[in-house]
């Protein structure tokens, strides 16, 4: 291959959500693109993150529905969970999406280079693959190498009894009992799945509540719901020691900061994900790192001219859709467009547990820090007043946070399937809408979207199904 074929307009290191989105948009804008990936197109989200996790959560929903079917007048028998069958189902979903993505990338004329890429020059990536070594150059380089499960010093991962989230996704059995270290999104989702499959689950979280970044009301509602489901939450508690045991079939013993001991079949270490930047040549080429994360400005530019960074390696929310949007944003800047900067507060957040927790914008606490205690008004609408929620037998609420005499700056949701409502909530936030702007909108009946409509009616001073 001629040397000129190894020089492109956009050279992307990493083919996860941020990387492939950048590649697709750049190619759409007529730019030549090379995409370097050590594993598979789609990255963490498609293969060991969002997609397989949500497939497990759907299987868990079916398990719960089968177990509870008689209360709806449906005769069904729950005989347990076939772990291998669940994995096969999840693998099938991933395989179909991977095939579709591979075909899409190929159809756009994007060159995919398989192998481990290292930044060996400010605009140069050297790739070591099965077929040898190749050096690529790009007029623009986009760093999108994603993240890995964060580990805790002193806790040894063995993949069978002490697990990362990657290991948990491949577990070929349903554990009788599990300790989940970390009450964030990953920990709560796995706790929810395992409990639906019949596992006795205890969550250990060092901070005072589950889902610490969410509104305090949402955290409290999730903890109550988990408690009713039989999930134990030990918040404000840290782990001081972990040992594995071969007695009684093997398992783990976890010592807590209050000197109590917990025993279970498995321990899931779910304390977040760290940036995958070590040993990739970033700092050697002048890219500034802060605790492993790539330092960028509001436009995803690093301190090296023509070098950009997107996704989980950039400080902020580690969400696939954030990386996806950043990838598009960078491609459009490179393509000479003037895209609107991404509002980090406007990125929707969803925890797909049972019940789901979804939000966009500021929490009540954050709003009060910004506008003062007297500058914020809130309203909470209970899903008990929503017909569709009654049909689904879900409990939860819609909580609106607004600047007094100003727009709605935060929307927080708890309940089954409320993640499907976050799109409207995001539009309201991005629109900087006042309650009076949203109140006249017509919401289909019976839907959970009506709960949003009712909440905005009440906040606008026109409550129908709530007391004024």
């Amino acid at each position: 291959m001629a040397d000129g074929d190894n020089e492109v307009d956009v050279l992307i290191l990493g083919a996860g959500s941020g990387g492939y989105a950048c590649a697709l948009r750049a190619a759409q804008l007529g730019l030549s693109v090379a995409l370097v990936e050590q594993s598979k197109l789609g990255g963490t989200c498609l293969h060991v993150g969002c997609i397989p996790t949500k497939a497990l959560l759907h299987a868990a929903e079916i398990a719960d529905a089968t177990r509870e079917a008689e209360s709806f007048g449906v005769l069904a028998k729950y005989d347990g969970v076939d772990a291998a069958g669940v994995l096969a189902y999840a693998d099938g979903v991933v395989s179909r999406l991977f095939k579709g993505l591979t075909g899409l990338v190929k159809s756009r004329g994007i060159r995919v280079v398989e192998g481990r890429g290292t930044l060996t020059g400010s605009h140069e990536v050297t790739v070591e693959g099965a077929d040898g070594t190749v050096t690529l150059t790009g007029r623009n380089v986009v760093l999108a190498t994603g993240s890995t499960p964060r580990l805790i010093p002193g806790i040894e991962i063995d993949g069978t009894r002490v697990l990362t989230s990657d290991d948990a996704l491949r577990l070929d059995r349903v554990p009788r009992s599990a300790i989940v270290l970390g009450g964030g999104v990953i920990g709560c989702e796995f706790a929810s799945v395992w409990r639906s499959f019949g596992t006795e689950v205890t969550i250990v979280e060092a901070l005072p509540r589950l889902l610490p970044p969410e509104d305090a009301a949402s955290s409290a509602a999730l903890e109550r719901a988990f408690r009713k489901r039989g999930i134990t939450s030990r918040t404000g508690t840290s782990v001081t020691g972990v040992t594995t045991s071969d007695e009684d079939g093997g398992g783990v013993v976890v010592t807590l900061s209050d000197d109590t001991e917990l025993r279970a079949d498995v321990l899931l270490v779910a304390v977040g994900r760290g940036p995958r930047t070590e040993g990739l040549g970033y700092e050697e080429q002048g890219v500034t790192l802060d605790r492993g994360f790539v330092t960028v400005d509001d436009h995803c530019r690093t301190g090296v001219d023509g070098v950009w960074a997107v996704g989980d390696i950039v400080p902020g929310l580690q969400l696939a859709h954030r990386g996806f949007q950043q990838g598009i944003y960078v491609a459009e800047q490179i393509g000479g467009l003037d895209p609107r900067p991404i509002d980090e507060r406007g990125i929707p957040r969803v925890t797909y547990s049972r019940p789901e927790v979804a939000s966009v914008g500021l929490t009540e606490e954050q709003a009060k820090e910004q506008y003062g205690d007297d500058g914020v008004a809130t309203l909470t609408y209970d899903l008990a007043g929503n017909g569709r929620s009654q049909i689904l037998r879900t409990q939860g609420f819609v909580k609106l946070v607004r600047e007094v005499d100003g727009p709605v700056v935060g929307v927080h949701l708890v309940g089954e399937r409320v993640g499907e409502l976050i799109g409207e909530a995001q539009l309201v936030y991005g629109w900087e809408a006042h309650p009076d702007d949203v109140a006249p909108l017509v919401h289909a009946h019976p839907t959970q979207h009506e709960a949003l409509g009712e909440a905005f009616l009440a906040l606008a001073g026109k409550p129908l199904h709530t007391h004024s």
Side-chain angles (χ1 to χ4, degrees), residues 65 179 205 215 218 272 373 387:
I179 300 166
E205 169 56 54
D215 191 90
S218 297
D373 289 354

Side-chain angles (χ1 to χ4, degrees), residues 312-376:
D312 286 358
I313 61 173
V314 175
L317 295 169
Q318 291 180 311
L319 298 171
H321 46 280
R322 173 182 180 253
F324 189 89
Q325 196 63 32
Q326 286 177 331
I328 294 171
Y329 179 62
V330 166
E332 292 185 347
Q333 290 180 88
I334 293 171
L337 304 181
D338 186 24
R340 180 180 177 179
I342 298 169
D343 177 5
E344 292 278 332
R345 295 288 193 188
I347 296 170
R349 309 172 290 271
V350 184
T351 301
Y352 295 90
S353 51
R354 185 185 186 194
E356 292 183 351
V357 178
S359 63
V360 65
L362 304 178
T363 66
E364 180 178 351
E365 183 180 7
Q366 290 168 338
K368 287 181 176 179
E369 288 177 359
Q370 185 165 335
Y371 302 110
D373 289 354
D374 297 331
V376 174

Side-chain angles (χ1 to χ4, degrees), residues 113-261:
V113 182
E114 297 180 358
R116 186 179 189 277
T118 305
L119 195 65
T120 49
S122 61
H123 289 255
E124 177 185 274
V125 172
T126 298
V127 185
E128 297 178 4
D131 297 327
T133 301
V134 62
T135 298
L136 309 171
T137 58
R139 283 175 278 279
N140 291 273
V141 173
V142 181
L143 308 178
T145 43
S147 61
T148 58
R150 193 181 293 278
L151 305 180
I152 297 178
I155 298 181
E156 184 178 347
I157 304 294
D158 61 20
T160 56
R161 292 178 292 189
V162 183
L163 316 171
T164 67
S165 58
D166 292 359
D167 300 322
L169 283 171
R170 305 309 309 168
L171 203 61
D172 59 359
R173 68 191 189 282
V174 176
R176 292 169 300 175
S177 56
I179 300 166
V180 177
L181 177 52
V185 173
I186 297 172
C188 286
E189 289 185 348
F190 272 102
S192 188
V193 167
W194 279 337
R195 186 60 190 142
S196 295
F197 288 169
T199 304
E200 295 294 327
V201 182
T202 299
I203 302 173
V204 179
E205 169 56 54
L207 294 176
R209 55 189 175 90
L210 300 182
L211 300 182
E214 294 291 347
D215 191 90
S218 297
S219 294
L222 182 66
E223 288 182 28
R224 285 194 301 271
F226 272 12
R227 188 162 53 248
K228 288 181 180 179
R229 293 184 59 197
I231 298 173
T232 301
S233 299
R234 299 286 297 267
T235 55
T237 307
S238 58
V239 171
T240 58
V242 174
T243 58
T244 55
S245 171
D246 293 325
E247 298 179 3
D248 299 324
V252 293
V253 179
V254 175
T255 305
L256 304 182
S257 53
D258 60 5
D259 293 329
T260 59
E261 286 187 347

Side-chain angles (χ1 to χ4, degrees), residues 391-415:
I391 292 168
L392 294 173
R393 291 188 176 173
T394 185
Q395 296 178 334
F397 57 77
V398 174
K399 179 177 179 179
L400 305 179
V401 181
R402 75 172 297 191
E403 181 186 357
V404 171
D405 298 326
V408 172
V409 296
V411 180
H412 304 275
L413 311 163
V414 177

Side-chain angles (χ1 to χ4, degrees), residues 259-326:
D259 293 329
T260 59
E261 286 187 347
L262 303 176
R263 297 173 183 270
D265 288 347
V266 296
L267 168 66
L268 171 63
V269 179
V271 290
R273 297 183 66 86
R276 186 186 279 111
T277 56
E278 186 177 355
L280 299 180
Y282 292 177
E283 286 187 297
E284 290 82 348
Q285 302 307 322
V287 175
T288 301
L289 300 183
D290 180 10
R291 291 170 294 179
F293 290 96
V294 178
T295 301
V296 296
D297 64 11
D298 292 340
H299 302 283
C300 297
R301 296 178 299 210
T302 71
V304 180
D305 187 48
V307 178
W308 316 70
V310 301
D312 286 358
I313 61 173
V314 175
L317 295 169
Q318 291 180 311
L319 298 171
H321 46 280
R322 173 182 180 253
F324 189 89
Q325 196 63 32
Q326 286 177 331

Side-chain angles (χ1 to χ4, degrees), residues 386-389 391 443-451:
N386 176 257
R388 183 65 170 167
S389 297
I391 292 168
H443 292 80
H445 175 77
T447 65
Q448 286 187 295
H449 281 277
E450 286 181 290

